[in-house]
Amino acid sequence: MAKVNIPTFKLNNGLEIPALGYGTWLGLDEKAELKMQDAPKLVEAVAYAIDVGYRHIDTAHLYRVEPEIGHVVKQKIAEGVVRREDMFITTKVWQHYHREADVEKSVRASLKRLDMEYVDLVLMHWPMSISQDGVDEKIDYLETYRGLEAVLEKGLAKAIGVSNFNLEQMKRLVANCRVVPAANQIEVNLNLGQRELVDYCQSEGVMVVAFMPFGSMVAGQAAPGSPEPKIDNPTVVAIAKKHGKTVTQVALRNLYQRGIASIPKSLMKYRILENASIFDFELDEADVAKLAQFDNGYRTNVPSFWQEYSNYPFEKVADPMRGIPLSLREWKNGANQDID
Ligand code: NDP
């Protein structure tokens, strides 16, 4: 079996985080329901990812696949493929659990579902606090972060951080926390370079982890009218050809060379391997300059149904989506779902 050797970046607490991880969000269908039917494929995909050399898995309470992830990791440990300490597991606390005391409850429930004693990194998934009924709870994210600091102290996580925090929120958090966050997981890709936010995080020792590293480049994610580059963009194709790589590999390599970890998701084995095969070539200055021209601030992930809630981190749009999809508020516990 082919293998990849994925390098690591160092977090501000000395821990190593693999520079490329495996994302586990199955996505929503046309009815805005989680594509839970893909969970068996995900189980196979994660097993394959670990077999070929992935050691970093990104999940979340919201994703409803913590039991599946835990099961696969356990199986790979039993098979002697990895040890728990070789793996870097990230999970996240959802918006319903933003009161300081609830953070620990959420993390303990994630650990139970994962059947693990600790996670390597736990993130506040969003800066907003919204109840299952869609009520704006207006809890300061500084309070939620204190809950994460307590979780760290208790050893339930080896590192703590945030996700979807904008520059202003990051600065306020860094100025008011005891433990500087180890990471901010945000959307970064060729359209959304996030220069200012990335520079600030890196200057404070906060690792940037890129979700949606392909942005609107790949089919299925692109809204109509989304900007270039698409997967057949001639400029990126030429760069890819020059290095004997694919356009998606160029996109991931570009993030790596910026010191950003990324967590692409694929259920296809050949892509799982392809996405991690980016550590044997180097983009030169001219390539990087050409790629930077696509950075136009275009965001692929715009959850505008949250935009009137306190601490929404992005710019508001003129015609927001109405109503939070139910699948982002409540989910069924039980067989093959996210058991409590
Ligand atoms: P990605 O940018 O990883 O894109 C996933 C899509 O790209 C899938 O449709 C996949 O299809 C396709 N794809 C994967 N590899 C290739 C390839 N080599 N060539 C062509 N197409 C490819 O988006 P995600 O939204 O999944 O983001 C990645 C991860 O980031 C998530 O899984 C999740 O863990 C995390 N995330 C975090 C968020 C947060 O708020 N913190 C928000 C969104 C994501 P296929 O499966 O068929 O290969």
Side-chain angles (χ1 to χ4, degrees), residues 25 58 63 163-164 185 211 263 265-267 271 275:
W25 170 236
D58 180 78
Y63 302 172
S163 176
N164 293 301
Q185 186 181 116
F211 71 68
I263 45 172
K265 168 257 166 191
S266 177
L267 294 176
R271 287 178 177 165
N275 291 342

Side-chain angles (χ1 to χ4, degrees), residues 202-245:
Q202 291 181 338
S203 73
E204 292 292 336
V206 179
M207 173 62 49
V208 175
V209 178
F211 71 68
M212 288 196 152
F214 304 130
S216 291
M217 177 183 266
V218 294
Q221 305 227 113
S226 60
E228 288 289 319
K230 301 293 174 223
I231 210 140
D232 57 355
N233 179 278
T235 306
V236 194
V237 168
I239 295 172
K241 271 201 177 143
K242 183 169 109 184
H243 295 284
K245 292 286 173 180

Side-chain angles (χ1 to χ4, degrees), residues 22-27 35 57-60 62-63 92 94 123-126 162-164 185-187 189 210-216 218-221 231 246 248-249 252 263-268 270-272 274-275 301:
Y22 182 83
T24 65
W25 170 236
L26 291 170
K35 294 184 193 157
I57 299 175
D58 180 78
T59 194
L62 173 76
Y63 302 172
K92 309 184 191 92
W94 191 239
L123 305 176
M124 189 188 319
H125 207 145
W126 287 89
V162 294
S163 176
N164 293 301
Q185 186 181 116
I186 52 175
E187 179 183 337
N189 46 53
F211 71 68
M212 288 196 152
F214 304 130
S216 291
V218 294
Q221 305 227 113
I231 210 140
T246 64
T248 40
Q249 286 174 317
L252 293 173
I263 45 172
K265 168 257 166 191
S266 177
L267 294 176
M268 320 266 278
Y270 77 96
R271 287 178 177 165
I272 292 172
E274 179 185 320
N275 291 342
N301 189 36

Side-chain angles (χ1 to χ4, degrees), residues 42-209:
L42 182 76
V43 167
E44 266 186 52
V46 175
Y48 178 75
I50 295 174
D51 282 341
V52 299
Y54 282 66
R55 296 292 176 263
H56 170 181
I57 299 175
D58 180 78
T59 194
H61 182 195
L62 173 76
Y63 302 172
R64 274 87 112 188
V65 291
E66 286 174 320
E68 283 81 357
I69 306 299
H71 170 78
V72 177
V73 171
K74 237 180 164 178
Q75 186 189 329
K76 290 297 154 194
I77 293 172
E79 287 173 13
V81 179
V82 284
R83 298 167 303 169
R84 172 64 186 90
E85 55 269 37
D86 301 327
M87 297 298 299
F88 191 100
I89 310 289
T90 301
T91 197
K92 309 184 191 92
V93 173
W94 191 239
Q95 303 162 355
H96 312 150
Y97 299 87
H98 273 221
R99 292 199 190 286
E100 188 170 346
D102 288 346
V103 174
E104 182 175 334
K105 284 186 204 153
S106 173
V107 174
R108 285 195 185 276
S110 282
L111 290 175
K112 192 170 160 206
R113 290 185 291 265
L114 285 160
D115 198 8
M116 290 178 187
E117 283 174 12
Y118 67 91
V119 283
D120 296 273
L121 177 63
V122 61
L123 305 176
M124 189 188 319
H125 207 145
W126 287 89
M128 302 90 74
S129 55
I130 303 172
S131 77
Q132 288 196 329
D133 301 324
V135 174
D136 189 346
E137 297 193 295
K138 300 189 189 329
I139 300 164
D140 191 340
Y141 51 78
L142 295 180
E143 170 178 342
T144 314
Y145 194 76
R146 284 196 293 276
L148 284 173
E149 287 174 330
V151 159
L152 180 71
E153 240 162 56
K154 291 187 181 171
L156 305 178
K158 300 239 183 244
I160 55 174
V162 294
S163 176
N164 293 301
F165 270 47
N166 66 26
L167 183 60
E168 186 196 330
Q169 292 166 334
M170 230 27 235
K171 285 184 176 170
R172 180 167 174 260
L173 176 60
V174 168
N176 290 285
C177 62
R178 280 191 296 118
V179 180
V180 175
N184 186 14
Q185 186 181 116
I186 52 175
E187 179 183 337
V188 197
N189 46 53
L190 289 177
N191 284 149
L192 193 64
Q194 304 253 38
R195 297 275 157 191
E196 228 189 327
L197 178 54
V198 170
D199 285 352
Y200 174 73
C201 287
Q202 291 181 338
S203 73
E204 292 292 336
V206 179
M207 173 62 49
V208 175
V209 178

